[in-house]
Tab-separated table of all heavy atoms in Angstrom:
chain	number	residue	atom	x	y	z
A	116	ALA	N	-51.399	16.808	29.545
A	116	ALA	CA	-51.020	16.729	30.957
A	116	ALA	C	-52.241	17.208	31.802
A	116	ALA	O	-53.130	17.831	31.359
A	116	ALA	CB	-49.812	17.631	31.215
A	117	SER	N	-52.143	16.869	33.083
A	117	SER	CA	-53.214	17.305	34.039
A	117	SER	C	-53.207	18.902	34.103
A	117	SER	O	-52.229	19.487	34.099
A	117	SER	CB	-52.803	16.728	35.330
A	117	SER	OG	-53.922	17.031	36.337
A	118	GLY	N	-54.473	19.358	33.989
A	118	GLY	CA	-54.596	20.843	34.031
A	118	GLY	C	-54.478	21.540	32.804
A	118	GLY	O	-54.424	22.844	32.740
A	119	CYS	N	-54.284	20.813	31.645
A	119	CYS	CA	-54.074	21.464	30.285
A	119	CYS	C	-55.407	22.046	29.761
A	119	CYS	O	-55.364	22.746	28.687
A	119	CYS	CB	-53.364	20.625	29.329
A	119	CYS	SG	-54.409	19.264	28.803
A	120	GLY	N	-56.536	21.508	30.235
A	120	GLY	CA	-57.740	22.069	29.675
A	120	GLY	C	-58.615	21.050	29.026
A	120	GLY	O	-59.605	21.457	28.208
A	121	LYS	N	-58.459	19.765	29.141
A	121	LYS	CA	-59.188	18.801	28.497
A	121	LYS	C	-60.594	18.758	28.850
A	121	LYS	O	-61.543	18.779	28.144
A	121	LYS	CB	-58.524	17.362	28.616
A	121	LYS	CG	-57.099	17.298	28.218
A	121	LYS	CD	-56.498	15.940	28.434
A	121	LYS	CE	-56.460	15.467	29.836
A	121	LYS	NZ	-55.614	16.286	30.750
A	122	SER	N	-60.813	18.607	30.300
A	122	SER	CA	-62.191	18.536	30.745
A	122	SER	C	-62.928	19.748	30.505
A	122	SER	O	-64.116	19.713	30.162
A	122	SER	CB	-62.128	18.279	32.291
A	122	SER	OG	-61.549	17.104	32.590
A	123	SER	N	-62.308	20.922	30.646
A	123	SER	CA	-62.989	22.180	30.427
A	123	SER	C	-63.381	22.256	28.898
A	123	SER	O	-64.503	22.865	28.653
A	123	SER	CB	-62.022	23.368	30.712
A	123	SER	OG	-61.607	23.279	32.012
A	124	SER	N	-62.483	21.698	28.019
A	124	SER	CA	-62.951	21.732	26.640
A	124	SER	C	-64.174	20.926	26.356
A	124	SER	O	-65.156	21.325	25.693
A	124	SER	CB	-61.838	21.110	25.717
A	124	SER	OG	-60.624	21.836	25.888
A	125	LEU	N	-64.281	19.822	27.008
A	125	LEU	CA	-65.510	18.937	26.925
A	125	LEU	C	-66.669	19.645	27.403
A	125	LEU	O	-67.755	19.714	26.809
A	125	LEU	CB	-65.365	17.627	27.663
A	125	LEU	CG	-64.452	16.501	27.061
A	125	LEU	CD1	-64.757	15.143	27.760
A	125	LEU	CD2	-64.621	16.349	25.591
A	126	LYS	N	-66.511	20.287	28.580
A	126	LYS	CA	-67.686	21.013	29.176
A	126	LYS	C	-68.148	22.179	28.280
A	126	LYS	O	-69.279	22.442	28.236
A	126	LYS	CB	-67.250	21.536	30.564
A	126	LYS	CG	-67.273	20.412	31.600
A	126	LYS	CD	-66.847	20.948	32.961
A	126	LYS	CE	-66.622	19.825	33.940
A	126	LYS	NZ	-65.717	20.226	34.988
A	127	ALA	N	-67.181	22.798	27.636
A	127	ALA	CA	-67.561	23.868	26.720
A	127	ALA	C	-68.351	23.306	25.574
A	127	ALA	O	-69.403	23.882	25.110
A	127	ALA	CB	-66.272	24.595	26.204
Side-chain angles (χ1 to χ4, degrees):
S117 183
C119 69
K121 305 178 298 293
S122 300
S123 305
S124 299
L125 285 196
K126 286 180 188 156

